Amino acid sequence: MANSDVLREYFFKLENNKELEEGTYSEALELMNRIKDTEIWNSFSRASFNSTELQEYFTSQPAEVRSKLFKFGISCFVHFIQANFTGPEISGDVVNLLQNPAYENIDFVKLLSVNHEEINVNTKYPILLVVAKCVFEKCLVSNIVNTLWCWRSIIIHQQIMDEPSPLLLSQADTVYKHIDTFNLQGYEKAKFDIEFAQLYLTFRHVTKAKEHIYSADDILGIQYNLQGKLGKRTKYQQNDIAQLTLEISLVDKDDIKRPPVHDFDVPQNVTLKDDVRLDSIVFADGPNKVVDFPNTEQKLFLTRVHEILIAKPQDDLQNEELQPFIDLILSQKNTWAVRVATLLLRCKLEVKFRRTIERTLAQCREVLDSYERPTPHVLNRVADVFSTGLVPMWKVEAQCADILLNLGLVKYAFDIYKKIKLWEEVIVCYTLLKMRHKAAEVIREQLLVKETVKMWCLLGDATDDVSCYEKAWELSKKRSHRAQRHWGNFLYARKEYQECIPHFEKSVSINPLQSQVWLRLGYAALQMENWQVAATAYRRYTNLEPDGFQAWNNLAQAYIKIGNKRSAHQALLEALKYNFDNWKIWENLLVVSCDILYLSNIIRAYHKLLDLKGKYLNVDALNALVFSVCNDVSEENRRPEIRRHEESENLLQKTRELLGRVTAIYPGEGFVWEMYACLVPPSLLRAQRLQRAFRGYTQPGWDKNPQTCVQVMCLCIKLAELVLTKGIDAQNTLLNSVKLNLSSAIAATKKHDWEDTRSLVEEVSAHLEKLVERLKKISEKNELSNDKIVIQ
């Protein structure tokens, strides 16, 4: 059977996204009822759900029976998603079936634990996921089908974990390599590219996710770009101003047949009711033309939103960029999962703003209510769960509680947190209510029910008792990253940085996907001047959270301390991607660029510092730049790739432009004028700039500083040698001016008779004599010329 035919058999035949009703799509509905097959349940029970024994059982069955068993696994999987992700509640007869006393002695939660980290306590009917994963992994019906459903089970398994699991990520990588051998094509590949991207975004692997997003873009023929259009955002706005909007087009392809999206009973898009802000932007040239986008394309836009949220800094600009995508998706006919995922994303964005937070709360309540509604059919809900990043229901409740807490409704938020057993947030609420002692009582009550690593850690947080972390560590048989993380956080909060570092290192050695632990480890190591550990920690953090400019900046600092300035330079360039207008980062880039002689970046950084600060003077940086340009040090001391990059640029001209800008801001800085003079060949212009440098150096009281006297004497030598050069056609005016410069400098310096300037004064005096002699010759020549004119 061809790959596409096999896939269609196991995808509920829902490609057209039509509303399922009783009697419609009988095969799909019959698949839902497979879960009631007591004979299969008995076979699992006899094997005590042991995967090895079950694999022997599956292998012994003929293909027809294995196909029946596989559909049973899909049915369990769908019911698990229904109970935890989509609603409504699963039917009573199925619940009774799952509450069989024969299963009471089997710890299904433990079977789903990963590296001693249990699934979320709110997970309902874990037996269903255990069965589904076992069937997908052990009951072979077709390589492609088994592998793709294993992939989907990893997506769901990770979603019910409290934290990203390195083991599940490793499994996902292995499964993906297997999927890649199937050479999926066309629309099927685009659909799975979106699923692949969503899973990798869950693990914050942005680079891998982008590869699949771009692949889906190319397959589906989607072209889009953000652009500005005039419009109004508020009710009282008088003039139209530029608003960001999204322009999208679909390229028709012969191998892509886009099915229509049918109407579904989806959660309502709550209207914004604000006194000032409009519900949507009103454009001057009328509303954007609404193009109907199929479901797969909508999911791709949604995946792009997820990627931007992770990969770009969270600021107002990010919100402006994401809003057009969200508005576009919500303007379409959506499937249930696409609508819910999009509304929840908008809630995450709008919770930060005073004018939209009430709509956010109402929208969360609407989504929660939709879980209980009987329509649409569960198969219509499940179809898009894997490709929308849909989170479990308890995470939506937590999001709702976060909004209440943000509004100051601590008691209401507390009730939700307690219901879904988010004990860390319960402690926060008790602290805000000035009842922190109650948190410890609640946690101790939970420990009486069941001792877990998490509860011991939370008891330590609530009581500041280090022995609780020790107990958690021992309980986990010294394998829990959570125990070491909480222990490290306890010490970190008390600024015991040296002591917290080993705990953080143990934690990330067990689970390296903990971005906040890497961040704190880096900061603690930075404080203790442990530069190598700091560099490693910040590098790992930036892999997981690339949008943190402070981390990139700190990474650069650590690299500088260990002598790796080229890596520091690259880290600073990354930092600027996420905070382009931070002058401190630009200053760091300027200094590092000077160290590695990256001349174009010295010029770029200096210009940006002047833009940001208005006035900025770094003589050392300018000196390094001018010296490098004038002496052409690039051939020996600079990397070939930098030289190639800068060969196409006129560095000398750009350096002149920079020095010209600096001298305009600092006209009295002698050293800057002296450097500016070096950038032109020996000429009258150079002499004029050196004289400006002389005026800059010889400010009132200059001769009282021996160092300044040395600078002036050296400048006088340069000036005298320049005007005495045969190639310079110096006029009497210039020569006389230089003569006065030298005479005044000698007189002022001689008064103090500095030891450092004695030899220099003699040298300048010798040049002065030569200058006087030349002026004398010019004068005699002019007199002779005048006499000849008279005789004639």
Side-chain angles (χ1 to χ4, degrees), residues 438 540 782:
K438 292 287 292 182
R540 296 298 298 271
N782 289 339

Side-chain angles (χ1 to χ4, degrees), residues 297-299 301-303 305 324-334 338-339 342:
E297 282 76 358
Q298 293 178 32
K299 290 186 290 187
F301 298 146
L302 188 57
T303 307
V305 173
F325 283 98
I326 291 174
D327 291 342
L328 173 73
I329 297 171
L330 294 178
S331 69
Q332 305 289 315
K333 292 179 179 178
N334 306 133
V338 169
R339 174 61 66 93
T342 307

Side-chain angles (χ1 to χ4, degrees), residues 582-628:
N582 188 306
W583 69 268
K584 292 183 179 179
I585 301 177
W586 281 106
E587 188 171 51
N588 291 338
L589 179 65
L590 176 68
V591 174
V592 175
S593 297
C594 289
D595 287 337
I596 65 172
L597 296 178
Y598 204 139
L599 304 187
S600 61
N601 269 353
I602 296 175
I603 297 169
R604 177 189 174 209
Y606 209 111
H607 274 300
K608 188 63 178 180
L609 284 164
L610 291 175
D611 293 340
L612 294 172
K613 303 192 72 175
K615 299 183 76 173
Y616 179 79
L617 184 62
N618 188 323
V619 174
D620 292 335
L622 293 174
N623 189 35
L625 173 64
V626 173
F627 180 84
S628 299

